[in-house]
Amino acid sequence: MKHYIGIDLGGTFIKGGIVNELGEIVISDKTPTEVEKGDLGVAANIARLAKDLLDRAGLTTGDVEGLGIGSPGMIDSAEGNVVYANNLGWENFRICDEISRLLGGIPVKIGNDANVAALGEVKFGAARNYNSAIMITLGTGVGGGIVVDGKLIEGNKGAGAELGHIVIVRGGEQCSCGRRGCFEAYSSATALIRDTRRAMEAHPDSKMWEIGSTDAVTGKTVFDYAPTDVYAKEVLDSYIEHLACGLINYANIFRPEVILLGGGVCAQGDNLIVPLQAIMDREIYAGSKGPRVPILIAELENSAGLLGAAALLM
Amino acid sequence: MKHYIGIDLGGTFIKGGIVNELGEIVISDKTPTEVEKGDLGVAANIARLAKDLLDRAGLTTGDVEGLGIGSPGMIDSAEGNVVYANNLGWENFRICDEISRLLGGIPVKIGNDANVAALGEVKFGAARNYNSAIMITLGTGVGGGIVVDGKLIEGNKGAGAELGHIVIVRGGEQCSCGRRGCFEAYSSATALIRDTRRAMEAHPDSKMWEIGSTDAVTGKTVFDYAPTDVYAKEVLDSYIEHLACGLINYANIFRPEVILLGGGVCAQGDNLIVPLQAIMDREIYAGSKGPRVPILIAELENSAGLLGAAALLM
C-alpha cells in the first residue's frame, strides 16, 4: 500500500495527514502556521509536522511517495513556487525545493488550495467515479477548480481557474476583483446575504424580520423563509437563477462529466440542487443532444484539501 | 520527414492536403462533399481525395502517419464518432473506423472544426511559440477552441468549447442557443452588423447613411466611420467593450499564454487589438501580479483547418 503526506496550508493552521492510496487518512494533526516566522519558518513548521506524523505512524520518509501541499495564492505548480500569496505575505517562494531538502529529498508538489480541493473530490469524493469535473465553492467569495482527464488545469503560472471572476451581468454588482457583475458578486454567500438584507430593508412587512435584525441574516435565511415569505422567495429565486447562469456557462465551456458545488450554502441540499439542475437541463447548449451535466454536492468538506494535496502525487 | 493527411470537412466541399511535420502543405485539393450520398458516401469521397493526393505526391498510405479530420458538429474524438452534425445530417457516424478501413488501416482521428483550427494555430500559426491558447473566431457566430499543454480540451463527447455561449449580459440580446445575453450575441459579426443597423435607424443624421442603406452594412462599416461619426464610434466602443468582457472571462478561467482572434473582423488589425489589449491589461484578475495575456490575430486563415487536422496525429 502506497502512502503520501498531504498538507493543507492556511493562514492560521497547517493541517497535515498521511493518506494511503485508497484515500484513507491514516493519521492527521495540525500546528500553528506562524506566518510571522516568514517563508522559511513556515516551511520548517510543515516539515516538522510531516516528520511528527511519520514518526507516530511508524513510517520514515522512505516509506512515502512524497508530500503534496494545498496553498492559498497564485501557485506555479510546475516550478513548485508560490508566486504570490497575500495572506501569507509571500512572493516567489520556491517552497517545494525547501521542504524536499528538509525531508531527505522526497518529491514535493504544490497547488492552489481551491484547485487541490477539486482534485481531492475527483479522486476520492463526490466525483470519484468521474475523470472531469468543475468544482465551484460558494463561500465568502466563489472559488473553483478545473479537473480534465484527472489533471488540474491551473493556467499559466497557476493564475487560472479564477472561476468566480467571469462577468455574467455586464455593469452589475461591484466585484472585489475590480470588475462589475462577476459570478462571485451574485453567487457567493456574501452576495446572498447582501441581497437578503436589501430585501428586508425594502420590505418592512417581510416575515424575515422575525430574525430580529439584518445583522442576523445568514446564507440560510432565505431558504428558511421562502416557503412563507414572498420577498425571501424572490431573493432565493434570483440567487438560484444567477448561480445556474454561471454553472451553465461552465457546462458550455468544459462540458464536464459533473459539476460539484461546495461551501456552506450546499447544506440546503435538494432545495438548492433540484432547481439548479432543472435550469441546467433546459438551458445547456444543444439541450439533450449532448451529454447531461449532473450537479452534485461536494463530500469531503474539511478533508478535501488534505486528500487533494496527497493526490497531487498520485 | 513525417507526413500526414489533413481533411477539412465542410457542408459543400471537402478540402484535403498532405502536410509534413514542419506544417508545410505539400499538396492540396478539394472535392464536393455530396452530403446527399449519406455518411458512407461522404467517407468514400474523403478516402478517394486522400488516395488521389497520395498518388500525386508519389506516396502510399504506408508513407503517412495517418489522416486527421476537422468536422462540423459535436465530435467524440476518443471514439472517432460524429455524435451530431446538423449540416451534414449525421448522427452517431463512426467515421474514423470507416475511413481507416478504406485506407488500409492507417490511423484516423477527428475533431470539431473550430477546435481543430485552434490546434492548427498553436502548432503552426500565430501561437506556434506557445503551448496553451484560447482561440475565438468572430464570424456569423462565435466559435472557439481550447488548447492546454498542446492538447485540445473538447469536453465530454466533444460537446464542450462552445465558447460563444457564455452569458455576459443576463437578460440581454436573444442568442441562437436559446439563452439571452451570450458572448456570441454581442461579439459575432452578425451582432456587430445588427447594432450598426440599429444605430443608423435611430440616427438619420449618421454619416453611415453614406453607404446607401442598412442592407449595405458590413462588419467593417463602424470601423470606417468611427473617426468621423459619433454614432459609429458608440457602436464600435460598445462592441469592443463586450468583446473584451468575454475575452477577460476566458483569461480568468484559463490564464492561457495567449488569446487568438480569428474571423473577418480581425482584418481591422490594431484598430481592434490595441483597445482590447488595454482593457484586458486593466481588468484581468489580479492585474499585473499574474502573467500578461497577449491578444493576437490568427494567421492561418483557410489552411488552419487542414493543418490542425494533420496536427491531430502529431
Side-chain angles (χ1 to χ4, degrees):
Chain A
M1 180 84 76
K2 288 181 181 174
H3 287 83
Y4 307 82
I5 306 170
I7 298 288
D8 183 357
L9 174 59
T12 310
F13 283 102
I14 302 162
K15 295 180 206 162
I18 295 176
V19 176
N20 69 22
E21 65 191 68
L22 304 178
E24 294 162 343
I25 300 171
V26 177
I27 185 171
S28 69
D29 205 346
K30 66 180 182 177
T31 187
T33 307
E34 302 181 310
V35 169
E36 68 280 4
K37 289 192 176 172
D39 48 17
L40 291 173
V42 173
N45 285 346
I46 291 172
R48 195 174 307 114
L49 175 62
K51 279 182 191 160
D52 179 52
L53 290 166
L54 287 171
D55 283 349
R56 286 156 61 191
L59 299 170
T60 71
T61 54
D63 297 322
V64 293
E65 306 299 310
L67 178 147
I69 308 168
S71 167
M74 193 179 286
I75 309 297
D76 185 347
S77 60
E79 299 287 329
N81 184 27
V82 179
V83 178
Y84 176 74
N86 188 48
N87 57 350
L88 296 171
W90 296 357
E91 259 184 72
N92 287 311
F93 176 42
R94 299 179 73 91
I95 188 172
C96 290
D97 288 350
E98 175 63 12
I99 290 180
S100 181
R101 193 182 64 77
L102 294 170
L103 293 175
I106 66 169
V108 177
K109 292 195 176 179
I110 187 168
N112 167 274
D113 47 12
N115 294 347
V116 160
L119 185 63
E121 290 285 346
V122 171
K123 294 281 187 186
F124 301 117
R128 64 186 167 277
N129 295 320
Y130 303 93
N131 284 312
S132 297
I134 301 299
M135 180 161 163
I136 303 284
T137 303
L138 309 168
T140 308
V142 171
I146 305 163
V147 181
V148 174
D149 293 335
K151 300 278 179 198
L152 284 170
I153 305 271
E154 299 171 293
N156 192 9
K157 310 283 179 207
E162 290 295 347
L163 302 188
H165 299 289
I166 58 165
V167 168
I168 61 170
V169 182
R170 240 188 79 81
E173 297 286 346
Q174 183 65 48
C175 182
S176 61
C177 77
R179 292 212 287 173
R180 285 185 167 276
C182 283
F183 185 35
E184 171 169 305
Y186 292 88
S187 301
S188 62
T190 311
L192 178 57
I193 290 167
R194 174 201 67 211
D195 290 345
T196 306
R197 287 178 175 155
R198 281 185 190 162
M200 288 171 67
E201 279 157 8
H203 303 288
D205 57 326
S206 168
K207 290 209 178 103
M208 291 190 284
W209 282 107
E210 288 174 9
I211 64 173
S213 80
T214 55
D215 291 344
V217 169
T218 69
K220 197 165 164 286
T221 307
V222 289
F223 287 94
D224 290 344
Y225 283 89
T228 57
D229 182 65
V230 65
Y231 308 117
K233 177 88 166 50
E234 273 174 16
V235 171
L236 179 57
D237 287 351
S238 171
Y239 179 76
I240 285 174
E241 281 163 21
H242 285 85
L243 177 53
C245 178
L247 297 185
I248 296 166
N249 284 357
Y250 286 117
N252 289 348
I253 296 168
F254 292 101
R255 198 68 144 200
E257 292 177 290
V258 64
I259 288 179
L260 297 181
L261 292 184
V265 177
C266 294
Q268 297 299 326
D270 282 353
N271 289 335
L272 183 71
I273 296 298
V274 171
L276 282 176
Q277 187 74 58
I279 304 173
M280 169 71 76
D281 292 347
R282 189 171 69 231
E283 298 193 8
I284 191 170
Y285 186 78
S288 59
K289 289 204 171 62
R292 189 159 181 266
V293 179
I295 303 168
L296 304 179
I297 292 176
E299 285 178 2
L300 299 178
E301 300 187 354
N302 290 334
S303 54
L306 199 151
L307 288 169
L312 288 171
L313 291 123
M314 296 183 186
Chain B
M1 179 84 77
K2 288 182 181 174
H3 287 82
Y4 307 82
I5 307 170
I7 298 288
D8 183 356
L9 174 59
T12 310
F13 283 102
I14 301 162
K15 296 181 205 160
I18 295 176
V19 177
N20 68 23
E21 66 190 66
L22 304 177
E24 293 161 343
I25 299 172
V26 176
I27 185 171
S28 67
D29 206 345
K30 67 179 181 178
T31 188
T33 307
E34 302 181 309
V35 168
E36 67 281 5
K37 290 193 176 171
D39 47 17
L40 291 172
V42 173
N45 285 345
I46 291 172
R48 196 175 305 114
L49 176 62
K51 278 181 191 160
D52 180 53
L53 291 166
L54 287 171
D55 283 349
R56 287 156 62 191
L59 298 171
T60 70
T61 52
D63 296 323
V64 293
E65 307 299 310
L67 180 147
I69 308 168
S71 167
M74 194 179 284
I75 309 296
D76 184 347
S77 61
E79 299 286 329
N81 184 27
V82 180
V83 178
Y84 176 74
N86 187 48
N87 58 351
L88 297 171
W90 296 357
E91 257 183 73
N92 288 311
F93 177 41
R94 297 179 74 91
I95 188 172
C96 291
D97 288 348
E98 175 64 13
I99 290 179
S100 180
R101 194 182 63 79
L102 294 170
L103 293 175
I106 65 169
V108 177
K109 293 194 176 181
I110 188 167
N112 168 275
D113 47 12
N115 293 349
V116 160
L119 185 63
E121 291 285 347
V122 171
K123 294 281 186 185
F124 300 117
R128 64 187 165 276
N129 296 320
Y130 303 93
N131 284 312
S132 298
I134 301 299
M135 180 160 163
I136 304 284
T137 303
L138 310 167
T140 308
V142 170
I146 306 163
V147 182
V148 174
D149 293 335
K151 300 279 179 198
L152 285 170
I153 305 272
E154 300 171 293
N156 192 9
K157 310 285 178 204
E162 290 295 347
L163 302 188
H165 300 289
I166 58 165
V167 168
I168 62 171
V169 183
R170 239 187 79 81
E173 298 285 348
Q174 183 63 48
C175 182
S176 61
C177 76
R179 291 211 287 172
R180 286 185 166 275
C182 282
F183 186 35
E184 171 168 306
Y186 291 89
S187 300
S188 62
T190 311
L192 178 57
I193 290 167
R194 174 200 66 209
D195 289 345
T196 307
R197 288 178 174 154
R198 280 186 191 162
M200 289 171 66
E201 280 157 6
H203 303 288
D205 57 325
S206 168
K207 289 207 176 107
M208 291 191 283
W209 282 106
E210 290 174 9
I211 65 174
S213 81
T214 54
D215 291 343
V217 169
T218 69
K220 197 166 164 285
T221 307
V222 290
F223 287 95
D224 290 344
Y225 283 90
T228 58
D229 182 65
V230 64
Y231 308 118
K233 176 91 166 48
E234 274 174 15
V235 172
L236 179 56
D237 287 350
S238 171
Y239 179 76
I240 285 174
E241 280 163 22
H242 285 85
L243 177 52
C245 178
L247 298 184
I248 296 166
N249 283 358
Y250 286 117
N252 289 349
I253 295 168
F254 292 101
R255 199 66 154 210
E257 291 177 292
V258 63
I259 287 179
L260 297 180
L261 292 184
V265 177
C266 295
Q268 297 299 327
D270 283 353
N271 289 334
L272 183 70
I273 297 297
V274 170
L276 281 177
Q277 187 74 59
I279 303 172
M280 171 70 77
D281 293 347
R282 189 171 70 233
E283 298 192 7
I284 191 170
Y285 187 79
S288 59
K289 290 205 171 63
R292 191 161 179 265
V293 179
I295 303 168
L296 305 179
I297 293 176
E299 285 179 1
L300 300 178
E301 299 187 353
N302 291 333
S303 55
L306 201 150
L307 289 169
L312 288 172
L313 291 124
M314 296 181 186

